[in-house]
Amino acid sequence: MALSLLERVQAWLFRALMGALFGLFQALSSRTCDRRKLPPIENPLLTLSAVQLARKIRRREAILNFHPKLLLYRMHSYYYKFAAALQEASQVDKLIEEETGGEEVLADRLPLLGVPLSVKESFALQGMPQTTGLVSRRGVVAVVDAPPVALLKRAGAIPLGVTNTSELCMWSESHNHLYGITRNPYDLERVPGGSSGGEGSLLASAGAVIGVGSDIGGSIRMPCFFNGIFGHKTTSGLVSSDNQHPPVSGRFEEYLSLGPMCRYAEDLLPMLQIMAGPNAHRLSLSEKVDLKKLRFFTVPHDGGSVMTSPVDSQLLQVQRQVVEQLEADLGVKVEEVMFHELRYAFQIWDTYMGLPDDEGAPPQRFGDLLGTPGHPVWPVWELVKWMVGKSDHTMAAIGLAMIEKAQPAAAPASILRHKEKLQREVEELLGADGVLLYPTHPNVAPKHHHPLFRPFDFAYTGIINILGLPVTQVPLGLSREGLPMGVQLIAGKLQDRLPLALALHLERSFGGWRDPGAK
Ligand SMILES: CCCCCCCC/C=C\CCCCCCCC(N)=O
């Protein structure tokens, strides 16, 4: 489906403007480079999945002694509750001794006993900061646990601390003026993604074993993609979003998902089972999945949106390799399909994120949330302060606050029609036994700040939030530059168990997570 002349002109103008701004940025940027690499992981305990580690702990074949130096790497900014974690770890042996029902009972009652957990800082973790990267929230400390965090702790996981995010979790990097900038462990010069970038960076570096992130435009999946780990955005509305900041408003609840992030595919399902709490039964997660009986589809790109980058040839190629592997392994035929409406993904995401709730109340404005109650941020004034290094906000946050003011009051009818058509076509295609491959992002991890010049590329993940579908991000090895590649596995509503099962299969074929420090 070719672009219209107007769309081609729009694309050309947008890319010319961004190219000019990028040239200016490059000219003004310092030429320093940081070629440091992480050391290889020596402690074999750090290369175990949560399932394996918990089993060793239950059998007293492993003791927990977190390595302080491991948690002090500069590439991610996070707070840690180290002493408390060590104290909780010392309780584990006592819990094992007291369990008279044997290992199976312990595994059932405390499936994650002793497993180190990291938590995105926008979630409430009792006693830890909950600022979401806002200088104005410095000193805010959570007094409760967010429900999915409480459920993971009740299952025996030991929180090590909280990890960095973008301001208000609304950007595809993890950089703010409170904690600083988080780095990608495969290349410190590159982004770890956002907004759960601290989670992605820490988990890929084996600084924790499992983590939790949130996702309303791709904030679990982009960090998992850029850091070469697994993540799952659930069917909408399955995991409670209480006690995370900013609180949902408008129709965000329909698009926001909290989910697991981890280095091993086998940890996704048990974590989801725990985090979904009372809703877990709706996913039939214990039902065996026969991959040979599923229907598979592949969508190589968005059809040529004027807003997004063309998909990197290495990502197109690795997705083709997945197709060939599935056809060889399962004896299935993977059908290539295209959806005309995917080229409007950003416009659909932006329009639906702005819709009012059932009572007609619009979502809280980003510029208001960026400021303090009753004192919204003036974006232009913040831009002036930013130019002289005096703003508490990043360029991305200032830009978003400015763009927000230009948002049209009423939702364009054409966009509503495109979304309804896309929703109908995708759900009819997937049914209850379909899985669709779609790029997680058009490029491997960009250099720091470069997303400012390709701000709409997150639409590859954002559109799936608006459709409300479950999706697992799966690592697929490293690119020529040594950067993680991956793909989204998308299924029909409540069919979360299908991409989770396929993730296990692809981990065996493509090798899953890679040690960023490996020579
Ligand atoms: C000057 C640079 C800023 C230009 C902004 C252009 C408009 C981009 C609009 C929205 C970007 C939102 C990115 C969302 C990333 C994922 C959020 C999430 N929590 O899942």
Side-chain angles (χ1 to χ4, degrees):
M1 283 156 270
L3 296 179
S4 66
L5 175 62
L6 174 62
E7 284 175 329
R8 280 203 300 273
V9 168
Q10 279 177 325
W12 189 84
L13 286 174
F14 171 66
R15 287 183 184 142
L17 170 65
M18 285 302 164
L21 287 172
F22 183 64
L24 181 64
F25 171 83
Q26 288 288 71
L28 299 175
S29 297
S30 58
R31 286 277 168 259
T32 56
C33 63
D34 190 336
R35 288 276 174 258
R36 284 174 301 162
K37 259 184 85 69
L38 291 184
I41 293 168
E42 292 128 5
N43 181 341
L45 272 185
L46 293 174
T47 59
L48 296 177
S49 67
V51 169
Q52 294 163 337
L53 182 59
R55 187 179 303 125
K56 276 184 173 294
I57 290 169
R58 283 195 297 272
R59 295 172 181 171
R60 309 183 75 164
E61 295 163 3
I63 54 164
L64 290 157
N65 55 342
F66 310 110
H67 291 266
K69 72 177 171 71
L70 187 74
L71 294 177
L72 292 177
Y73 276 109
R74 253 169 33 85
M75 93 289 285
H76 44 261
S77 317
Y78 67 93
Y79 256 78
Y80 56 87
K81 47 187 302 247
F82 209 47
L86 283 173
Q87 205 276 326
E88 287 163 47
S90 68
Q91 301 298 314
V92 168
D93 280 343
K94 192 161 165 286
L95 274 167
I96 295 170
E97 273 158 19
E98 286 169 356
E99 178 48 69
T100 54
E103 187 192 332
E104 285 316 305
V105 170
L106 199 57
D108 192 48
R109 189 161 63 85
L110 296 166
L112 295 177
L113 183 59
V115 176
L117 164 74
S118 56
V119 177
K120 183 177 183 179
E121 200 256 16
S122 57
F123 286 46
L125 172 61
Q126 195 171 19
M128 296 305 282
Q130 190 187 15
T131 66
T132 319
L134 294 183
V135 174
S136 60
R137 283 175 63 89
R138 185 196 303 270
V140 171
V141 171
V143 292
V144 294
D145 288 328
V149 174
L151 288 167
L152 288 165
K153 285 171 70 174
R154 201 172 72 188
I158 296 180
L160 293 186
V162 292
T163 59
N164 206 19
T165 75
S166 53
E167 289 182 80
L168 291 169
C169 298
M170 200 44 78
W171 191 244
S172 57
E173 297 186 72
S174 292
H175 172 209
N176 55 65
H177 287 196
L178 188 56
Y179 297 122
I181 195 160
T182 301
R183 296 164 177 255
N184 186 309
Y186 294 87
D187 179 343
L188 302 185
E189 297 264 291
R190 293 177 184 265
V191 305
S195 60
S196 315
E199 280 300 293
S201 179
L202 185 71
L203 289 164
S205 315
V209 177
I210 52 175
V212 290
S214 57
D215 187 316
I216 201 167
S219 284
I220 285 175
R221 290 161 286 158
M222 288 188 283
C224 288
F225 173 75
F226 291 140
N227 294 287
I229 61 173
F230 293 88
H232 185 76
K233 184 209 81 68
T234 70
T235 298
S236 298
L238 273 174
V239 177
S240 166
S241 62
D242 293 346
N243 303 120
Q244 54 102 38
H245 186 82
V248 291
S249 62
R251 290 171 60 169
F252 287 10
E253 187 72 36
E254 293 176 40
Y255 314 134
L256 176 69
S257 161
L258 291 74
M261 297 171 70
C262 50
R263 273 176 285 133
Y264 299 95
E266 67 174 343
D267 292 341
L268 287 168
L269 188 146
M271 285 187 71
L272 177 57
Q273 179 89 37
I274 294 162
M275 293 174 71
N279 289 322
H281 71 281
R282 297 173 59 195
L283 297 178
S284 314
L285 292 173
S286 49
E287 193 176 296
K288 175 121 180 60
V289 176
D290 181 352
L291 294 175
K292 293 183 188 317
K293 293 194 174 136
L294 300 187
R295 295 179 299 117
F296 295 95
F297 307 95
T298 183
V299 182
H301 50 74
D302 63 6
S305 159
V306 299
M307 316 291 279
T308 55
S309 308
V311 178
D312 183 317
S313 59
Q314 297 179 87
L315 295 173
L316 291 172
Q317 199 210 337
V318 78
Q319 190 165 325
R320 277 194 294 272
Q321 286 166 0
V322 173
V323 168
E324 289 155 14
Q325 192 74 46
L326 291 179
E327 293 184 335
D329 294 350
L330 306 174
V332 297
K333 177 68 189 131
V334 181
E335 185 188 347
E336 180 165 325
V337 296
M338 285 302 289
F339 295 101
H340 179 80
E341 279 64 32
L342 278 176
R343 68 187 60 201
Y344 305 112
F346 168 71
Q347 295 93 316
I348 292 171
W349 183 87
D350 192 39
T351 298
Y352 277 74
M353 284 286 284
L355 293 181
D357 64 15
D358 294 341
E359 284 75 50
Q364 277 199 286
R365 296 181 67 78
F366 183 79
D368 297 349
L369 287 164
L370 215 48
T372 50
H375 300 89
V377 148
W378 288 9
V380 174
W381 176 233
E382 284 306 321
L383 182 60
V384 171
K385 287 197 289 183
W386 182 83
M387 288 175 176
V388 293
K390 296 290 181 199
S391 174
D392 283 344
H393 301 287
T394 57
M395 184 67 246
I398 295 168
L400 287 172
M402 292 173 98
I403 290 268
E404 181 180 53
K405 293 202 176 291
Q407 191 154 39
S414 62
I415 296 300
L416 301 176
R417 281 198 304 276
H418 286 312
K419 189 266 185 186
E420 289 312 318
K421 183 167 181 286
L422 181 64
Q423 186 92 48
R424 188 174 57 254
E425 289 180 354
V426 171
E427 294 204 61
E428 279 169 7
L429 182 77
L430 286 174
D433 61 352
V435 178
L436 185 153
L437 306 176
Y438 191 52
T440 307
H441 202 76
N443 294 303
V444 292
K447 297 262 186 177
H448 292 299
H449 315 303
H450 287 199
L452 292 170
F453 304 97
R454 306 301 307 163
F456 307 108
D457 282 356
F458 81 94
Y460 269 82
T461 45
I463 185 64
I464 311 302
N465 295 83
I466 305 304
L467 298 179
L469 302 177
V471 45
T472 304
Q473 147 48 46
V474 175
L476 294 171
L478 301 180
S479 70
R480 279 192 300 273
E481 307 91 341
L483 296 166
M485 302 188 289
V487 72
Q488 292 186 96
L489 308 176
I490 302 160
K493 285 181 181 171
L494 298 177
Q495 308 308 319
D496 297 56
R497 71 191 181 288
L498 305 186
L500 294 176
L502 185 55
L504 276 165
H505 181 85
L506 293 179
E507 181 180 51
R508 286 191 289 274
S509 323
F510 286 82
W513 165 79
R514 301 298 205 277
D515 175 358
K519 293 289 173 242

